[in-house]
Amino acid sequence: MSEQRPTRIAPVGFGPSTAILRATAPATATVSTAAPFTAALPTATLPAREQPPPNPPDPPGIDYSDGIELSDGVRLRVEQVGSGGAPLTVVLLHGWTLDHRIWHRQVSALVEHLGDTVRIISYDARGHGRSGVSHLGTATLDRLGDDLAELLDRMAPTGPVVLAGHSLGGMTIMEYAHRHPDDFAARIAGLVLIATTAEGDTHTCYGLPSRVTWLIRLAETTGADVLARCGGLRTPGPLLRVLRPTLRWLLFGNECEPDDIRLTTSAVARAALVSIGGLRSSIGRQQRLDTLAGLAHLPVAALVGDRDRLTPPPCAESIVRTLPATELTVCPGAGHMLMLERPDEVNAALLDVVRRALTPIPSQRRAGTGGSSG
């Protein structure tokens, strides 16, 4: 994949303090990390021979923790790099149906550039990866926001924290801010929001005509209701092989690397069907722009692919209108999987926010009020 070099351009309709980056790249067809079981859609050619999913290289000092047990008995798989005595903690939250491995390039970049000045925590959300399975009633964004609060209390009880969330991970951060505003105001020193939304499925149209979008939405929500009743079952391997072209179309641009689609497919294989289906309803309903409006004191970066089908650019634009100082990076031709598709841009935004959080302006930190109460 050719190297991408973002270039700074003038603000475009979001307010005088907005910085917008557009990464120069050839146009590609891309998408987002939701609706993995959508009906047959345009497909792309894949390697004919199956290969085992890659294991991303481990950065030095990684600790494979058994994780923590939450208040309702579900156990989260947690991995961390760095010392608990580091000046700042970075927590990475993955998207719907994915797991912590999606962040492997960002973990490596943080270690390379910041060393022992940060501790990095990544974890598999309940019902995802190697974490325990949710019951149907706890496969909700409310519960994911509470899980994040518990994880911070247990694993990073003191010191500033930067939160980076992709898709569902970004929505989880907003839910945490909404449900735990005092904790959020006291602890959080910066945000990175990647291919995410504060408005549920308001802007989701799959890049297709409205009538086709309506049919896909109907099939998706109906299928989600069925999946939500499948408990801890996972997607069978043969079905995933059939669905891989659709996942490829939904989640990546034209330059998708074979290792990246294999890693993504292996993550989907680990997600419990109750979480795939159960989360769909609360994801579609979430509305958190009012919560974001209370976070203007924080350094925030937002990134979006300009052909993301499920969290398209209007999702990021509404975030920037709410938080005008947000630095927005638009990646031409990219879809939903920006950590894999555009790691240089994601790494640059993450490193910038972390460095700003390491040298906060006291008056700005005191001005924070957190999110809305809920």
Side-chain angles (χ1 to χ4, degrees), residues 251-309:
L251 303 175
F252 290 92
N254 289 339
E255 295 185 358
C256 171
E257 296 290 337
D259 279 353
D260 293 340
I261 185 62
R262 284 197 296 270
L263 175 60
T264 302
T265 304
S266 74
V268 175
R270 294 180 176 186
L273 297 184
V274 66
S275 293
I276 295 176
L279 282 165
R280 177 61 182 86
S281 177
S282 60
I283 288 172
R285 293 194 311 266
Q286 190 189 45
Q287 298 291 322
R288 290 291 173 259
L289 287 177
D290 288 347
T291 298
L292 285 181
L295 310 180
H297 60 290
L298 292 174
V300 181
L303 300 96
V304 66
D306 73 352
R307 300 183 68 180
D308 189 328
R309 299 180 189 271

Side-chain angles (χ1 to χ4, degrees), residues 44-311:
T45 302
L46 295 167
R49 187 172 65 180
E50 289 290 329
Q51 300 182 36
N55 291 315
D58 294 337
I62 192 166
D63 173 20
Y64 290 94
S65 167
D66 287 334
I68 61 170
E69 185 171 312
L70 299 169
S71 57
D72 66 349
V74 171
R75 192 164 191 85
L76 293 188
R77 168 67 179 264
V78 181
E79 296 186 2
Q80 58 182 323
V81 179
S83 165
L88 183 138
T89 299
V90 179
V91 180
L92 307 173
L93 294 90
H94 65 75
W96 190 19
T97 77
L98 302 175
D99 63 35
H100 75 278
R101 295 175 296 163
I102 296 299
W103 293 102
H104 69 94
R105 291 174 181 141
Q106 288 65 53
V107 172
S108 295
L110 288 167
V111 171
E112 177 184 354
H113 292 281
L114 298 177
D116 58 6
T117 61
V118 297
R119 179 171 62 141
I120 308 156
I121 294 175
S122 57
Y123 69 99
D124 296 340
R126 62 171 59 223
H128 293 71
R130 300 302 188 194
S131 287
V133 177
S134 294
H135 301 296
L136 178 56
T138 62
T140 65
L141 275 171
D142 287 0
R143 183 65 240 192
L144 294 185
D146 293 345
D147 290 351
L148 176 55
E150 286 195 45
L151 179 134
L152 291 175
D153 285 345
R154 300 274 294 279
M155 298 204 66
T158 61
V161 176
V162 167
L163 299 175
H166 171 239
S167 191
L168 176 68
M171 302 176 84
T172 299
I173 291 169
M174 297 175 211
E175 205 63 24
Y176 167 56
H178 178 75
R179 294 172 64 82
H180 304 271
D182 293 338
D183 289 346
F184 192 100
R187 301 297 315 285
I188 306 309
L191 300 176
V192 182
L193 303 173
I194 303 166
T196 192
T197 180
E199 299 174 278
D201 57 16
T202 300
H203 300 294
T204 301
C205 63
Y206 313 102
L208 298 171
S210 58
R211 181 171 295 185
V212 178
T213 296
W214 182 85
L215 290 172
I216 291 175
R217 180 77 53 79
L218 178 63
E220 182 190 353
T221 53
T222 302
D225 289 341
V226 174
L227 294 178
R229 289 163 173 77
C230 292
L233 296 176
R234 266 73 174 180
T235 308
L239 177 58
L240 271 178
R241 286 191 287 276
V242 171
L243 289 173
R244 185 183 282 192
T246 298
L247 288 172
R248 162 67 176 84
W249 181 82
L250 277 172
L251 303 175
F252 290 92
N254 289 339
E255 295 185 358
C256 171
E257 296 290 337
D259 279 353
D260 293 340
I261 185 62
R262 284 197 296 270
L263 175 60
T264 302
T265 304
S266 74
V268 175
R270 294 180 176 186
L273 297 184
V274 66
S275 293
I276 295 176
L279 282 165
R280 177 61 182 86
S281 177
S282 60
I283 288 172
R285 293 194 311 266
Q286 190 189 45
Q287 298 291 322
R288 290 291 173 259
L289 287 177
D290 288 347
T291 298
L292 285 181
L295 310 180
H297 60 290
L298 292 174
V300 181
L303 300 96
V304 66
D306 73 352
R307 300 183 68 180
D308 189 328
R309 299 180 189 271
L310 293 178
T311 54

Side-chain angles (χ1 to χ4, degrees), residues 87-88 159-162 185-190 297-299 352-368:
L88 183 138
V161 176
V162 167
R187 301 297 315 285
I188 306 309
H297 60 290
L298 292 174
D352 178 66
V353 169
V354 170
R355 285 170 175 143
R356 291 159 64 192
L358 284 167
T359 56
I361 300 172
S363 62
Q364 287 186 333
R365 295 291 293 137
R366 286 195 297 267

